[in-house]
């Protein structure tokens, strides 16, 4: 995931500060890097594909010296990883770095090219540089030009800009998911996409709000709104030690990764949604109508959390695209001699791309002639390499052993595939496509809002963390979410937990229910809601404690449950992602209350490369 660093000061130390900051952001993962430094009256840019060591090599050959500059590490979402697509991007005298996604980039590109701008990269970022440059060329100050350019953007962005016409300033802007931090030191100011990037230089920092713009100079930092009116933002004083700085101030990587989910989802949707054309561009993965109609079945294969994402995906693919879909645990797949052929598609789903069982399932599919389309978070991984096509999730590096942001981005990727197949097969009207795409675009914001339940969930965790057994129940698409909730809890808290389809409870697990066995019920609105309420009453009738996850507006649920956690309703499929947030947070808080090693739970490895 991309990282930004910026420096403006008196001494000629920009290059050292920028490289040091980029090193501190390396943990986020990236595939190219670059810096821009004002040397005399000219801004010079150096960029390199791959790791920072490559950029350092370029800088050794062609060093830079100056006191104002920007640096960036890029995790490709828009255009391949390459030197050409690496940031900083230049247009005329303007140079910028950017994190986030510009949704209206196609329209902007057409408009700018029609106005005579020559676009040199495949990125959305370069278009912002051109917009700013148009303003600067009209004689506007950099800050004004940035404000006016940002008013044209739809999407999310955190950016840093500099211009040869305004040599003493950097400008920063923020809108949407990506964070941006500004800090002030003695006769110098700093910019970072994350606190660790600039922590060695200043502990007084301001985290910009959506709609804020900051003007940085050696005199300090001034924050203004979209109209250029000064805004008062209280600086925070950072107390972290260097290790917790890597975790961005969170207590654990898992917690950080839970809170990164809006950004991970935004990056995974990326520019794949073309709302204007009511279509999706899955990074060039092609399905003709004939191919899609000829598909006899899709086999989703994965392990652990990724297999629950597949179960969610099955509901989506079968119901939207109308193609028969099976979910197999990858460890079982090849041993059951699955019936496969060229009219089948096997879809391995994996965060690491290295899980041995999933790789084995992939090879089984390949040996039997099936097309292999994988959903994967790791470029250059074995699963990615051995697939015909890969739809990457852009969760960024997941360090906590318990998978969180990988799961939600896998579900998003599977939704994109279900929609694409449905569009290709002509199964959705224009209104239906429009409605589904707009739901998807609302998802990152609703996940962000859902994360505000954190403290409420923590309070509930305090009441139940001593229990030794939990049951998680759900129906329909919420059944795999219940399974995921149980897995999360057992992985990191070592509490025994089981996920069940709520309708199955009366066929056995009900024998376990008493006042010592809390039951987490995912009771969101949907076709099976009334049936689920009956299941829940069966629990209450046996003195079971019910923690219900329900959709806002469902007042009646409070009469049936001991605790209620409300989430928003985002339709038949995507509410499953919103319902995942409380089960992740619940597992996290229970585990921290029990004092377990949340990020590296006993006996577990992040990537299981053995059968
Ligand atoms: O890297 P993968 O997605 O292939 O990993 C699959 C499972 O090993 C993984 O999801 C595991 O279940 C996690 N620890 C779950 O939190």
């Amino acid at each position: 995931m991309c990282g930004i660093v910026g420096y403006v000061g008196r001494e000629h130390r920009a290059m050292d500060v920028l490289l040091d900051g980029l090193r501190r952001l390396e943990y986020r993962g990236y595939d190219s890097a670059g810096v821009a430094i004002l040397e005399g009256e000219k801004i010079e840019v150096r960029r390199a594909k791959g790791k920072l060591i490559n950029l350092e090599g370029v800088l050794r050959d062609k060093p830079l010296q100056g006191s104002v500059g920007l640096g960036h590490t890029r995790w490709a979402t828009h255009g391949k990883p390459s030197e050409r697509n690496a940031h900083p991007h230049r247009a005329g005298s303007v140079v910028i770095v950017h994190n986030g996604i510009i949704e209206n980039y196609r329209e902007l590109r057409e408009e700018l090219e029609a106005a005579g701008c020559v676009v040199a990269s495949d990125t959305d970022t370069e278009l912002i540089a051109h917009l700013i440059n148009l303003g600067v060329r009209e004689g506007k100050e950099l800050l004004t030009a940035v404000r006016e350019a940002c008013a044209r953007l739809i999407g999310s962005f955190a950016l840093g800009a500099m211009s040869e016409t305004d040599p003493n300033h950097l400008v920063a802007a923020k809108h949407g998911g990506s964070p941006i931090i500004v800090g002030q030191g003695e006769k110098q100011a700093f910019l970072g996409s994350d606190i660790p990037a600039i922590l060695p230089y200043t502990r007084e920092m301001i985290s910009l709000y959506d709609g804020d713009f900051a003007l940085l100079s050696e005199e300090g930092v001034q924050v203004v709104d979209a109209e250029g009116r000064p805004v008062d933002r209280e600086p925070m004083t950072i107390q972290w030690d260097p290790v917790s700085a890597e975790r961005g101030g969170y207590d654990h990587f898992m917690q950080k990764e839970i809170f990164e989910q809006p950004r991970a989802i935004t990056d995974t949707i990326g520019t794949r949604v073309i709302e204007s054309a009511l279509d999706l561009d899955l990074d060039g993965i092609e399905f003709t109508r004939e191919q899609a109609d000829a598909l006899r079945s899709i086999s989703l294969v994965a392990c652990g959390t990724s297999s629950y994402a597949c179960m969610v995906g099955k509901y989506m693919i079968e119901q939207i695209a109308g193609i028969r879909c099976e979910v197999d645990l990858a460890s079982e797949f090849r041993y059951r001699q699955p019936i496969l052929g060229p009219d089948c598609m096997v879809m391995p789903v994996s965060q690491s791309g290295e899980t041995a069982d999933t790789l084995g399932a992939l090879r089984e599919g390949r040996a039997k002639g099936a097309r292999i389309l994988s959903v994967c978070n790791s470029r250059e991984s074995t699963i990615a390499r051995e697939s015909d096509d890969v739809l990457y999730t852009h969760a960024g590096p997941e360090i906590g052993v318990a998978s969180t942001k990988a799961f939600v981005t896998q579900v998003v990727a599977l939704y994109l595939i279900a929609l694409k197949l449905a569009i290709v097969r002509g199964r959705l009207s224009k209104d239906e496509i429009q409605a589904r795409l707009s739901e998807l675009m609302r998802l990152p914001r609703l996940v962000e809002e859902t994360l505000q339940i954190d403290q409420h969930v923590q309070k509930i965790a305090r009441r139940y963390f001593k229990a030794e057994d939990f049951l998680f129940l759900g129906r329909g698409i919420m059944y795999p979410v219940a399974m995921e909730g149980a897995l999360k809890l057992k992985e990191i808290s070592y509490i025994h937990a089981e996920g069940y389809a709520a309708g199955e409870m009366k066929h056995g697990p009900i024998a376990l229910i008493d006042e010592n066995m809390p039951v987490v019920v995912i009771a969101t609105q949907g076709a099976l809601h009334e049936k689920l309420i009956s299941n829940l009453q069966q629990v209450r009738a046996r003195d079971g404690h019910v923690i219900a996850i329900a959709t806002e507006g469902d007042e009646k649920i409070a009469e049936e449950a001991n605790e209620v956690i409300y989430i928003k309703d985002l339709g038949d499929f995507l509410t499953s992602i919103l319902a995942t947030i409380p089960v992740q947070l619940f597992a996290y808080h229970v585990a921290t209350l029990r004092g377990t090693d949340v990020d590296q739970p006993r006996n577990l490895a992040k990537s299981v490369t053995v059968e």
Side-chain angles (χ1 to χ4, degrees):
M1 302 203 359
C2 307
I4 289 177
V5 192
Y7 175 77
V8 49
R10 245 190 207 150
E11 302 159 42
H12 276 178
R13 60 187 303 224
M15 195 166 100
D16 292 343
V17 174
L18 297 181
L19 283 177
D20 181 50
L22 294 180
R23 255 176 242 121
R24 288 169 197 285
L25 293 174
E26 272 195 300
Y27 72 93
R28 296 161 65 107
Y30 63 101
D31 45 48
S32 56
V35 291
I37 289 181
L38 182 75
E39 280 201 325
E41 292 177 355
K42 289 278 310 160
I43 299 173
E44 296 291 341
V45 176
R46 304 278 187 270
R47 304 182 297 193
K49 187 181 167 191
K51 293 291 164 195
L52 267 183
I53 195 160
N54 300 349
L55 176 66
E56 285 163 353
V58 173
L59 284 164
R60 252 195 314 278
D61 293 343
K62 293 184 182 172
L64 292 176
Q65 207 182 40
S67 52
V68 183
L70 290 168
H72 192 263
T73 45
R74 171 173 188 256
W75 172 284
T77 55
H78 224 123
K80 289 192 167 70
S82 64
E83 200 243 309
R84 193 169 75 94
N85 288 332
H87 302 208
H89 285 282
R90 174 198 288 278
S93 62
V94 171
V95 166
I96 78 158
V97 291
H98 158 234
N99 292 352
I101 304 274
I102 303 306
E103 290 159 24
N104 58 334
Y105 94 110
R106 279 189 177 79
E107 295 89 314
L108 288 176
R109 184 165 181 143
E110 276 167 25
E111 179 190 319
L112 286 162
E113 286 181 333
C117 297
V118 178
V119 182
S121 71
D122 307 319
T123 66
D124 48 353
T125 302
E126 190 190 335
L127 307 179
I128 313 175
H130 283 286
L131 284 176
I132 300 171
N133 188 47
L134 289 178
V136 163
R137 267 182 18 203
E138 287 169 11
K140 290 175 184 155
E141 287 181 345
L142 179 62
L143 176 61
T144 310
V146 172
R147 284 195 295 106
E148 291 180 1
C150 288
R152 301 285 324 278
L153 306 179
I154 299 173
S156 73
F157 52 85
L159 63 85
M162 60 195 289
S163 171
E164 288 160 2
T165 57
D166 203 343
N168 301 320
H169 291 109
L170 288 181
V171 171
K174 170 176 159 54
H175 178 80
S178 310
I180 194 110
I181 315 283
V182 290
Q184 195 170 326
E186 178 130 351
K187 292 282 178 203
Q188 52 193 341
F190 305 87
L191 182 63
S193 52
D194 229 341
I195 292 171
I198 57 174
L199 192 60
Y201 309 102
T202 177
R203 286 184 173 262
E204 297 288 304
M205 299 186 196
I206 296 169
S207 176
L208 295 189
Y209 286 44
D210 278 357
D212 282 355
F213 295 82
L215 185 67
L216 287 78
S217 70
E218 59 175 68
E219 268 80 52
V221 174
Q222 192 195 346
V223 183
V224 300
D225 66 12
E227 270 70 51
R229 293 175 298 231
V231 177
D232 208 12
R233 295 268 178 255
E234 193 64 27
M236 51 188 171
T237 306
I238 308 298
Q239 312 283 6
W240 312 332
D241 58 50
V243 175
S244 61
E246 265 189 35
R247 297 191 298 258
Y250 290 99
D251 292 334
H252 300 95
F253 279 108
M254 180 186 176
Q255 187 189 28
K256 174 168 178 272
E257 286 156 6
I258 290 173
F259 279 85
E260 271 171 6
Q261 291 181 114
R263 189 168 53 179
I265 293 171
T266 302
D267 288 351
T268 301
I269 297 171
T271 48
R272 290 163 173 168
V273 171
I274 313 164
E275 269 193 293
S276 53
L278 294 181
D279 201 358
L280 293 165
D281 176 357
L282 300 188
D283 307 346
I285 298 170
E286 282 299 327
F287 292 106
T288 61
R289 171 84 193 240
E290 293 68 38
Q291 283 170 333
D293 283 349
L295 271 179
R296 180 159 49 92
S297 71
I298 294 180
S299 298
L300 292 159
V301 289
C303 303
T305 287
S306 300
S307 74
Y308 300 139
C310 291
M311 287 170 72
V312 175
K314 174 185 160 84
Y315 286 91
M316 295 167 164
I317 294 171
E318 289 200 332
Q319 289 179 30
I320 310 178
I323 300 173
R324 198 158 75 85
C325 198
E326 294 172 343
V327 178
D328 271 76
L329 289 172
S331 52
E332 293 293 322
F333 187 60
R334 69 197 130 139
Y335 301 112
R336 75 164 174 88
Q337 297 169 2
I339 300 164
L340 296 167
D343 52 355
C344 300
M345 187 158 75
V346 170
M347 290 182 53
V349 175
S350 174
Q351 186 285 127
S352 61
E354 300 296 348
T355 302
D357 289 320
T358 311
L359 187 59
L362 181 159
R363 288 175 178 161
E364 174 76 10
R366 170 155 315 289
K368 291 189 167 161
R371 177 176 176 178
I372 312 289
L373 163 59
S374 53
V375 170
C376 189
N377 195 41
S378 308
R379 282 174 195 275
E380 313 299 333
S381 62
T382 315
I383 287 178
R385 272 200 311 274
E386 294 197 15
S387 301
D388 296 311
D389 299 291
V390 185
L391 187 66
Y392 286 103
T393 48
H394 292 291
E398 192 178 62
I399 295 173
V401 165
S403 184
T404 51
K405 59 180 182 169
F407 174 81
V408 298
T409 52
Q410 286 166 347
V411 173
V412 168
L414 291 169
Y415 189 62
L416 292 173
I417 292 169
L419 276 181
K420 182 69 184 179
L421 287 168
I423 293 170
V424 170
R425 300 191 76 210
R427 283 181 53 93
L428 297 175
S429 70
K430 285 191 170 165
D431 286 350
E432 283 166 332
I433 302 173
Q434 178 69 65
R436 296 234 171 258
L437 294 183
S438 3
E439 264 173 18
L440 188 61
M441 300 311 275
R442 285 173 64 211
L443 179 65
R445 189 170 47 78
L446 291 192
V447 171
E448 194 149 8
E449 281 178 35
T450 307
L451 285 164
Q452 289 168 12
I453 58 174
D454 184 40
Q455 287 190 358
H456 177 54
V457 176
Q458 189 180 28
K459 270 193 206 136
I460 297 175
R462 275 200 201 104
R463 284 181 214 131
Y464 295 93
F465 77 96
K466 290 191 177 146
E468 287 306 329
D469 302 279
F470 273 84
L471 196 58
F472 283 71
L473 300 177
R475 296 199 74 136
I477 202 167
M478 299 302 172
Y479 164 43
V481 176
M483 307 272 277
E484 170 61 2
L487 180 67
K488 275 304 73 90
L489 188 68
K490 72 181 118 184
E491 275 189 302
I492 59 169
S493 70
Y494 317 144
I495 292 174
H496 167 238
E498 292 192 51
Y500 258 92
E504 269 295 291
M505 189 185 60
K506 56 187 175 298
H507 298 288
I510 200 164
L512 295 170
I513 289 173
D514 62 15
E515 68 281 8
N516 298 316
M517 178 133 168
V519 181
V520 178
V521 186
I522 302 161
T524 50
Q525 294 291 352
L528 298 173
H529 189 62
E530 285 306 319
K531 293 188 193 301
L532 194 126
I533 296 292
S534 319
N535 302 141
L536 202 148
Q537 285 162 345
Q538 292 156 10
V539 174
R540 293 273 277 170
R542 286 155 186 87
D543 295 330
H545 282 255
V546 172
I547 303 166
I549 296 166
T551 26
E552 278 176 13
D554 183 359
E555 306 297 341
K556 273 171 59 187
I557 196 90
E559 294 161 22
E560 313 291 348
N562 301 75
E563 322 281 349
V564 185
I565 302 167
Y566 283 111
I567 58 168
K568 290 253 174 6
D569 192 342
L570 191 56
D572 38 8
F573 297 111
L574 297 180
T575 308
S576 62
I577 292 183
L578 302 182
T580 303
I581 310 296
V583 298
Q584 293 172 339
L585 289 170
F586 185 70
Y588 173 74
H589 287 301
V590 167
T592 53
L593 287 161
R594 288 171 78 105
T596 54
D597 186 346
V598 170
D599 283 334
Q600 288 175 329
R602 68 184 183 203
N603 305 339
L604 294 177
K606 184 66 190 159
S607 177
V608 186
T609 52
V610 289
E611 249 203 80

